């Protein structure tokens, strides 16, 4: 029996454990890689691609304890020199090809049983067969050794693994044949597409695959190489390939860079965000794969050949450099076409959301990921930039104010900085105003359509959904705007009625009056109730309310009213309830109404039918279109009747002034 030098058990125990399915397959990939090296040694000068063959058979995939894997090759075999390298840990036998001498230790870490059988030619060109069991033990790791001369056969090696050990390998080992085959193709993709591989036949239970043919069948086009010298990474070569999208099935993302060390793929990295382009080609089914090699990578691969000995930031920088080479030398036309479309999309985004237009289109695109093509993606990338700009502008203005406050003369450099700051603030205000008024215009356009739809329905025919939508557009239904726990439901467009209500805080919409006033059980409600203390904005000063606005919406086109629901009668009942009762805030506190409170009451309706007859004795408004009635007796204030079309027209005129100011 033969022992490997060193503390093998502890060495295996310290090996990194798999965290993904691809890493759980690494010991099998190591066996295949060894087979490739053995074939290269037997068939030099490129003959390995023609004469070499590797068979990989995986069985009992659904039963980890009984899984068997057999890797067979027709390579040079374990002759004396290679056998001595096998039993020496950390051997340098394959150093020039990136071999670290630890791949076979991964076998012991993963499998319960490992059996090796190899045929080779000795120096006298005699055929010999060497076989042994490879076990995890403190000594005598090679057991049941047999070395015998044979008369017939050919060089080659077969390694058989049985039973996955309990632990990380069993937990992460894939359970479906298709997944094993996909990872196999992904891991050796660079070898397969670069033409550095012999024939590899993979059978996983009933699933079969042939490499590199199955990978080469997905190849659409080879697009040459980029050879260049980099200040940090030295001489690099990037080989460019265009595949059908199925080639990326085993990877995260569409487009990939494969980083190769000593002819082996070590890791792959998606570069969708670096090149931007999605699937391309006539049928949008093409993706890019690049293979990156260089001395920098050869010298920095780890001993398990699963990663490089440099940090993530270095890999990101290397990926960026190589992606730039791909764009420049292989994907220039696709990227140019993509960039034109992306620029147009950004222009549309800025037209709709002008507040993001703080730089020209190219500068804005440079601040977003290359694969960002939607408004949400642009906003996500630009919001932090806008916040930083706003913060810097605020600090700049504060510094200027401080200097002026300290008595500095406003001349020269300070005067120029004041002008620049003022222009910057003015430009930002212009962008935000433009976005605001464009949104208001959309609201008015939709409101116009809703009103016309409701007016077209016969009087008396109900359409709750249309009416609710119209109401909801102006102000959310059954919402207390003074309740901070429901502030997310309190967005409104009350500016349509009165600009003073743009920032209104305390309001109730379509809420029964009894929910706002104690001891009131009539169940009637105004559509909108706003009580104000200062400028109609609900300033919480604790003083009795001096002004109250009451708005009642009537269905557009409505002609019939009962006496109880004629607007003036309904409003008077509401006013009486308000004057005699106590309004409760969301905190349950009593909100007092002053004896001399002025009530501004609005009825939004079409002046037709019974409403026209009933209000024929009212005064007309200055423009002659509306009607109003002065309150007397117990109440001070007015009731104004506004037609829906006039409400919309007036709102459009007010918004037009903003549009003109914004230059929209």
């Amino acid at each position: 029996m033969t022992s490997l030098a060193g503390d093998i058990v502890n060495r295996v125990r310290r090996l990194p454990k798999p965290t993904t399915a691809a890493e759980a397959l690494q010991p099998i990939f190591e066996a295949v890689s060894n087979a490739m090296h053995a074939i290269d040694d037997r068939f030099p000068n490129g003959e390995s691609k023609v004469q070499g063959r590797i068979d990989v058979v995986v069985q009992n995939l659904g039963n980890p304890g009984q899984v068997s894997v057999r890797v067979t090759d027709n390579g040079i075999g374990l002759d004396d020199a290679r056998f001595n390298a096998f039993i020496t840990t950390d051997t340098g036998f394959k150093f020039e090809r990136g071999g670290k001498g630890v791949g076979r230790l991964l076998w012991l870490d993963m499998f319960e049983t490992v059996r090796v059988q190899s045929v080779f030619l000795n120096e006298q060109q005699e055929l010999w067969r060497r076989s042994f069991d490879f076990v995890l033990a403190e000594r005598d790791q090679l057991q049941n050794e047999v070395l015998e001369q044979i008369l017939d056969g050919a060089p080659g090696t077969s390694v058989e693994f049985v039973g996955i050990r309990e632990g990380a390998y069993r937990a992460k080992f894939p359970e479906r044949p298709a997944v094993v085959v996909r990872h196999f193709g992904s891991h050796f993709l660079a070898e397969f597409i670069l033409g550095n591989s012999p024939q590899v036949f993979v059978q996983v239970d009933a699933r079969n695959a042939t490499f590199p043919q199955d990978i080469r069948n997905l190849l659409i086009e080879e697009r040459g190489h980029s050879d260049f010298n980099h200040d940090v990474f030295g001489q690099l070569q990037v080989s460019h390939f265009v595949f059908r999208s199925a080639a990326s099935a085993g990877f995260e993302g569409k487009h990939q860079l494969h980083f190769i060390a000593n002819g082996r793929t070590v890791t792959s990295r998606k570069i969708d965000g670096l090149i931007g382009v999605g699937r391309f080609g006539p049928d949008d089914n093409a993706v890019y794969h690049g293979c990156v090699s260089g001395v920098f990578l050869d010298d920095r691969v780890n001993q398990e050949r699963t990663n490089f000995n440099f940090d993530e930031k270095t890999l990101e920088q290397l990926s960026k450099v190589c992606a730039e080479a791909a764009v420049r030398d292989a994907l220039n036309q696709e990227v140019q076409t993509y960039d034109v479309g992306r620029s147009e999309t950004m222009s549309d985004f800025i037209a709709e959301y002008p507040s993001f237009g703080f730089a020209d289109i190219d500068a804005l695109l440079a601040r977003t990921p290359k694969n960002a093509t939607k408004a949400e993606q642009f906003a996500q990338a630009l919001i932090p930039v806008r916040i930083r700009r706003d913060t810097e502008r605020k600090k700049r203005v504060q510094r200027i104010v401080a200097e002026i406050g300290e008595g500095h003369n406003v001349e020269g450099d300070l005067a120029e900085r004041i002008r620049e700051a003022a222009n910057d603030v003015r430009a930002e205000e212009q962008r935000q105003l433009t976005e605001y008024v464009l949104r208001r215009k959309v609201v008015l356009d939709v409101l116009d359509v809703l009103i016309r739809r409701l007016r077209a329905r016969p009087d008396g025919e109900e359409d709750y959904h249309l009416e609710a939508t119209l109401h909801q557009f102006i102000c959310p239904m059954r919402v207390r705007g003074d309740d901070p726990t429901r502030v997310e439901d309190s967005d409104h467009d009350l500016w349509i009625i009165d600009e003073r209500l743009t920032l209104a805080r305390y309001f109730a919409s379509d809420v029964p009056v009894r929910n706002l006033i104690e001891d009131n059980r009539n169940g009637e409600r105004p559509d909108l109730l706003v009580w104000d203390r200062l400028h109609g904005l609900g300033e919480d000063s604790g003083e009795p309310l001096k002004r109250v606005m009451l708005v009642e919406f009537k269905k557009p086109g409505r002609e019939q009213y009962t006496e109880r629901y004629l607007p003036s009668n309904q409003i008077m009942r509401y006013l009486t309830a308000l004057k005699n009762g106590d309004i409760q805030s969301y905190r349950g506190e009593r909100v007092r109404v002053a004896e001399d409170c002025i009530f501004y009451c609005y009825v939004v309706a079409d002046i037709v039918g019974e409403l026209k007859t009933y209000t024929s004795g009212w005064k007309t408004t200055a423009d002659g279109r509306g009607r109003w009635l002065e309150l007397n007796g117990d109440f001070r204030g007015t009731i104004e009747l506004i037609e829906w079309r006039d409400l919309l027209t007036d709102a459009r005129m007010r918004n037009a002034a903003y549009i003109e100011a914004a230059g929209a």
Side-chain angles (χ1 to χ4, degrees):
M1 291 184 288
T2 304
S3 296
L4 275 66
D7 187 349
I8 299 303
V9 173
N10 283 328
R11 180 67 182 278
V12 169
R13 185 180 294 119
R14 291 194 300 268
L15 288 172
K17 307 309 176 193
T19 58
T20 65
E23 291 176 359
L25 289 166
Q26 187 64 33
I28 301 173
F29 296 155
E30 285 291 335
V32 174
S33 181
N34 289 343
M36 289 181 176
H37 289 161
I39 290 171
D40 287 340
D41 288 344
R42 184 183 179 195
F43 303 108
N45 303 318
E47 285 298 307
S48 62
K49 294 181 290 185
V50 178
Q51 299 192 51
R53 176 182 176 123
I54 300 173
D55 289 273
V56 181
V57 179
V58 182
Q59 295 177 319
N60 301 321
L61 194 61
N63 187 351
Q66 298 298 319
V67 163
S68 69
V69 181
R70 186 174 66 252
V71 179
T72 306
D73 67 69
N74 63 344
I76 199 167
L78 275 176
D79 58 20
D80 289 345
R82 288 168 177 79
F83 178 72
N84 288 332
F86 184 91
I87 63 175
T88 304
T89 57
D90 301 309
T91 178
F93 186 77
K94 298 181 182 179
F95 182 78
E96 293 184 355
R97 291 184 293 194
K100 304 294 183 178
V102 298
R104 62 199 177 283
L105 300 185
L106 296 177
W107 302 350
L108 297 177
D109 197 20
M110 178 175 181
F111 292 104
E112 296 281 0
T113 303
V114 181
R115 177 73 180 170
V116 179
Q117 181 172 290
S118 183
V119 176
F120 61 92
L121 289 169
N122 65 8
E123 293 181 354
Q124 291 75 36
Q125 298 299 299
E126 299 169 333
L127 277 175
W128 287 77
R129 180 167 58 210
R130 172 179 277 123
S131 60
F132 55 86
D133 294 329
F134 189 35
V135 301
L136 180 60
E138 293 183 358
R139 61 188 308 275
D140 299 333
Q141 290 85 15
L142 272 62
Q143 300 180 1
N144 301 318
E145 292 181 75
V146 176
L147 179 61
E148 57 186 344
Q149 187 175 3
I150 59 176
L151 298 178
D152 296 318
T157 300
S158 175
V159 183
E160 185 171 6
F161 311 99
V162 178
I164 301 176
R165 295 183 186 277
E166 294 279 358
Y169 278 102
R170 181 176 289 196
K172 295 299 180 181
F173 197 76
E175 299 178 350
R176 293 184 292 125
V179 176
V180 176
V181 171
R182 185 172 71 242
H183 280 296
F184 199 100
S186 301
H187 183 83
F188 293 104
L189 187 138
E191 288 88 334
F192 294 154
I193 64 178
L194 290 173
N196 297 332
S197 167
Q199 294 290 302
V200 181
F201 299 90
V202 178
Q203 178 184 337
V204 185
D205 288 337
R207 180 70 178 263
N208 296 308
T210 302
F211 299 105
Q213 285 91 329
D214 287 0
I215 295 297
R216 300 288 295 185
N217 288 342
L218 297 174
L219 181 64
I220 296 175
E221 183 182 2
E222 297 185 27
R223 293 196 175 180
H225 310 276
S226 297
D227 292 282
F228 58 95
N229 190 68
H230 189 268
D231 293 341
V232 175
F233 306 119
Q235 192 68 30
L236 292 173
Q237 182 181 82
V238 185
S239 301
H240 309 293
F241 302 89
V242 176
F243 279 90
R244 285 195 284 274
S245 60
S248 295
F251 299 97
E252 179 185 357
K254 304 177 184 68
H255 311 293
Q256 308 292 325
L257 283 176
H258 308 282
F259 295 96
I260 301 169
N262 309 109
R264 287 270 315 273
T265 303
V266 176
T267 187
S268 299
R269 176 62 66 94
K270 71 172 182 178
I271 55 171
D272 298 17
L274 294 175
I275 65 176
V277 180
R279 295 187 182 93
F280 55 91
D283 54 357
D284 289 329
N285 193 39
V287 295
Y288 169 84
H289 284 256
C291 298
V292 184
S293 57
V295 175
F296 182 87
L297 297 176
D298 293 342
D299 292 345
R300 290 167 175 81
V301 64
N302 68 11
Q303 64 176 3
E304 295 82 23
R305 289 177 289 193
T306 58
N307 216 325
F308 292 102
N309 295 322
F310 46 72
D311 57 23
E312 180 67 18
K313 185 177 180 180
T314 300
L315 184 57
E316 289 178 359
Q317 184 183 2
L318 180 59
S319 299
K320 184 177 180 180
V321 168
C322 296
E324 290 172 352
V327 171
R328 181 182 65 247
D329 300 331
L331 298 171
N332 187 266
Q333 185 60 52
E334 286 83 2
V335 171
Q336 283 188 12
T337 302
Y338 171 80
D339 285 346
V340 169
R342 191 162 172 261
S343 178
E344 293 173 351
T345 305
M346 176 62 83
S347 297
D348 293 340
F349 170 70
I350 296 303
E352 187 170 357
Y353 303 99
S355 63
F356 287 96
F358 48 78
D360 61 43
I361 297 299
D362 291 338
L364 293 174
L365 288 172
R367 293 176 179 270
T368 62
K370 283 286 289 184
N371 60 344
T373 58
K374 299 178 181 178
E376 295 86 351
Q377 295 169 321
F378 290 152
Q380 185 177 17
L382 294 176
I383 284 174
V385 179
R386 190 173 68 180
I387 291 174
R388 286 194 297 270
R389 285 174 55 90
D390 291 345
T391 302
E392 292 169 0
R393 180 173 58 250
K394 182 179 179 180
K395 290 180 179 178
R396 190 164 62 250
V397 171
Q398 288 174 340
R399 286 194 298 269
I400 291 172
V401 172
E403 290 182 34
I404 295 175
E406 292 169 0
H408 291 232
N409 292 329
V410 182
E411 58 185 23
D413 178 63
L414 178 57
E416 179 61 26
R417 286 190 290 127
I418 292 175
R419 283 192 293 271
E420 290 178 356
N423 290 337
D424 197 11
V425 170
R426 189 179 301 111
E428 179 61 27
E429 290 175 344
Q430 186 90 354
R431 288 190 293 269
Q432 294 188 9
L433 178 60
T434 300
E435 185 170 320
Y436 176 62
V437 299
L438 290 177
R439 178 196 169 279
R440 286 174 41 142
K441 182 178 182 299
V442 171
V443 169
L444 293 174
D445 290 341
V446 175
L447 188 62
D448 188 13
V449 173
L450 288 171
I451 292 172
R452 284 191 279 110
R453 282 280 305 274
L454 281 169
R455 189 179 287 124
R457 303 186 72 83
D459 191 27
E461 183 177 335
E462 298 294 331
D463 190 330
Y464 172 77
H465 294 293
L466 268 179
E467 294 178 32
T469 302
L470 174 61
H471 195 303
Q472 193 83 2
F473 231 82
I474 298 175
C475 186
M477 301 179 74
R478 297 181 176 86
V479 169
R480 286 288 296 272
D482 57 351
D483 186 346
T485 66
R486 303 179 64 183
V487 69
E488 72 277 6
D489 295 326
S490 301
D491 293 338
H492 62 78
D493 285 292
L494 295 175
W495 59 269
I496 295 173
I497 300 169
D498 192 317
E499 291 290 347
R500 294 174 299 171
L501 293 174
T502 301
L503 302 177
R505 291 179 56 198
Y506 298 124
F507 66 87
S509 177
D510 201 32
V511 178
V513 175
R514 66 171 175 266
N515 291 354
L516 302 175
I517 305 173
E518 293 180 345
D519 300 325
N520 189 308
R521 299 291 185 267
N522 59 32
E524 296 178 359
R525 64 176 184 264
D527 275 334
L528 181 67
L529 176 66
V530 181
W531 54 95
D532 303 325
R533 297 175 178 80
L534 180 63
H535 304 302
L537 299 179
E539 190 72 20
D540 194 1
S541 66
E543 296 297 321
L545 294 171
K546 295 289 188 180
R547 290 173 299 278
V548 168
M549 178 177 287
L550 191 68
V551 179
E552 181 72 22
F553 297 114
K554 298 300 183 183
K555 177 183 174 182
R558 179 175 177 178
E559 295 185 0
Q560 298 177 2
Y561 293 85
T562 64
E563 183 176 355
R564 180 177 180 82
Y565 287 101
L566 283 168
S568 60
N569 293 344
Q570 198 169 0
I571 286 176
M572 294 303 294
R573 287 196 301 276
Y574 290 158
L575 294 183
T576 300
L578 285 171
K579 197 74 176 286
N580 296 336
D582 291 328
I583 301 174
Q584 289 185 321
S585 73
Y586 69 95
R587 293 186 294 262
E589 299 172 349
R590 296 175 182 272
V591 182
R592 294 170 294 165
V593 179
E595 285 296 323
D596 57 350
C597 178
I598 301 176
F599 296 95
Y600 302 93
C601 308
Y602 297 92
V603 178
V604 182
D606 284 341
I607 307 177
V608 294
E610 294 175 354
L611 183 60
K612 182 177 182 180
T613 302
Y614 180 79
T615 60
S616 59
W618 293 22
K619 297 179 181 179
T620 58
T621 56
D623 58 16
R625 300 193 302 270
R627 300 180 180 185
W628 68 280
L629 178 69
E630 185 175 2
L631 297 176
N632 296 300
D634 294 337
F635 306 105
R636 298 176 59 200
T638 58
I639 302 176
E640 183 173 351
L641 181 59
I642 306 172
E643 283 210 294
W644 278 105
R645 64 179 179 182
D646 295 331
L647 179 74
L648 194 60
T649 299
D650 181 61
R652 286 191 186 280
M653 291 178 63
R654 285 185 277 115
N655 201 49
Y658 283 118
I659 292 176
E660 183 177 356

